[in-house]
Amino acid sequence: MKEQLKGLVQPFHTLNKKAMLALIVGETAIALLLWQLSGSELIPRPTDIMKSFFTMLHSNPEFMENIIISLSLSFQGMGISLILALFISYLSLIPLFSPIANFIIKCRYLTLAGLNFTFIVLLPNDPHLLKISLLLFGIVPFFVTSFLSILDGINTQEYDLCKTLRMNSWQTMWEVVIVGRIDQALEVMRQNFAISWIMITTVEGLQMSGGGLGTMVVKSSRFIDLGTIYAILLTIFFLGVFFDYILGVIRHWLFPYTKLQIRK
Amino acid sequence: MSHTIQELLLKVHQVNLRYDKQILRDVNFEIHNIVRPDMNQGQVVSLVGRSGVGKTQLFKILAGLIKPSTGKVTIDIDQHEVKPGEVGIIPQNYILFNHRTVYHNLKIGLDFSGKKISEKEEQDIINEYADKFHLREHLKKYPMMLSGGQRQRVSIIQQVLTGNKFILLDEPFSGLDMLMIDRVVDLLLNVSTINDFNTLIIVSHDIENALAISDTAFILANQEGQEGATITEKIDLVSLGFAWNPGIKQNAQFQELVAGMKHRI
């Protein structure tokens, strides 16, 4: 027991599943208790948030509808971003397209708020497409940046191996970069799903027609309905954690060798 | 030991490599086909030198992966300049495709061998090699599930299946215990006898084990007052009577040779 407790504060010490679960439950309970006891006017207590959540769930039919709208928008944005970002990343290995990929990476420094007006002018009659476009503009540069750093980290010996196996440069690209890193593309997608999911509130807040959780947050803010705002934020948080877990499971299922790369 | 030295298989001619300083200087050596009556006898050649002398750079030049600043490497009976894909390499860390199983790593070697064979024939060949090199039970595993020795075997067979007659091995004995080294020696001797033209070139700083397995050894070293490593000595282990002898490491004269070389590199 003494050894186990000592292990809790030792770097690289690994806990078994049961102990880790107990630790998570314990720390969460303490955090909730402290939150409950230290609640102020500005930050509603967990019980207030839960009350708001159940009230919203039972008396606001738009709540579930808005969740579905936000999820649908996020999945569409994520799917299109994945395809676009992978395409741009792969093209970056061809010298002709490399400057384009580098420019897209730098687009991380552009703010969505300023671009909203441009997109409204370009897409005046299609709020859904407008939101998807904003989402793509927000996600793709981060996705390409993450994926290119993975490609940069490929051991040159892998390319040498391909050469000694008589692969040409296209075959090498297919084997090492496309097939060989498809699991990592999914991992980047998982990480960037968080960005896309967080951006939902921004995008839906910028363009409120069509609804969604982001729109609900903005509307609740107008009435300073803090309980509802926190209930929506917690919904966004837990849905994000759930999909993060699901994507992780899918990655291990599709690419079993990724399990071997985890420190145990 | 009855044998004849026949045609030239590989020639390193006046190879120089220079980056910000001279790495390799006027490297010259030749590898000839050694023929022993009534048996397949490939060549095992060692390039021995201390760490950091430029062995890995020479390794890449021999594989055609980098071009020397001047000079050239020519191979085969027609002595054409080496191109990537004509010389197999087994890097020190046994690089394999981690996203493919052992079976598919070996299959990829066959797929790029240029031979037109059916899936069934491919399967038979892979199984045959897997049996010969004790990998049958590991065919469905991913490389990360294998030990270092198993990865090395997969790496070697992958190159053999590609059809490369020349196979370069970078520090094949590095980090292995005594028992494993003996197994690697057996494995390399096994590979060298698959085909009469199979030529294994071992790049190593482990003089004793490299010499114990070789027909010929070249010492790559720096010479006093001159920048860049070059071949300073050739040791014909066949003429000395040390080649093709499994128990040679126990031979006192062989140990004397090894001790002497340690001072010269």
Side-chain angles (χ1 to χ4, degrees), chain A residues 127-192:
Chain A
H128 182 73
L129 188 60
L130 172 62
K131 282 194 263 189
I132 290 278
S133 307
L134 280 170
L135 213 49
L136 292 187
F137 214 87
I139 303 169
V140 169
F142 287 98
F143 200 132
V144 175
T145 307
S146 309
F147 198 60
L148 284 188
S149 76
I150 286 171
L151 300 190
D152 283 344
I154 294 176
N155 189 337
T156 53
Q157 285 181 324
E158 270 191 69
Y159 296 118
D160 287 346
L161 173 65
C162 290
K163 281 183 195 168
T164 62
L165 291 173
R166 303 180 191 143
M167 293 183 191
N168 63 33
S169 56
W170 292 103
Q171 287 163 332
T172 301
M173 186 170 159
W174 172 256
E175 189 59 43
V176 177
V177 178
I178 300 177
V179 182
R181 296 296 179 278
I182 192 78
D183 64 303
Q184 292 184 39
L186 199 66
E187 176 61 13
V188 170
M189 185 181 112
R190 190 170 75 95
Q191 289 163 12
N192 282 269

Side-chain angles (χ1 to χ4, degrees), chain B residues 201-243:
Chain B
I201 304 173
I202 296 167
V203 178
S204 179
H205 68 272
D206 183 337
I207 301 167
E208 184 179 3
N209 287 307
L211 258 58
I213 195 180
S214 300
D215 317 321
T216 315
F218 296 97
I219 296 181
L220 185 71
N222 286 304
Q223 288 173 319
E224 215 174 309
Q226 287 182 297
E227 199 181 39
T230 192
I231 299 293
T232 54
E233 199 174 333
K234 175 187 171 183
I235 299 150
D236 183 348
L237 291 140
V238 178
S239 300
L240 290 170
F242 296 149

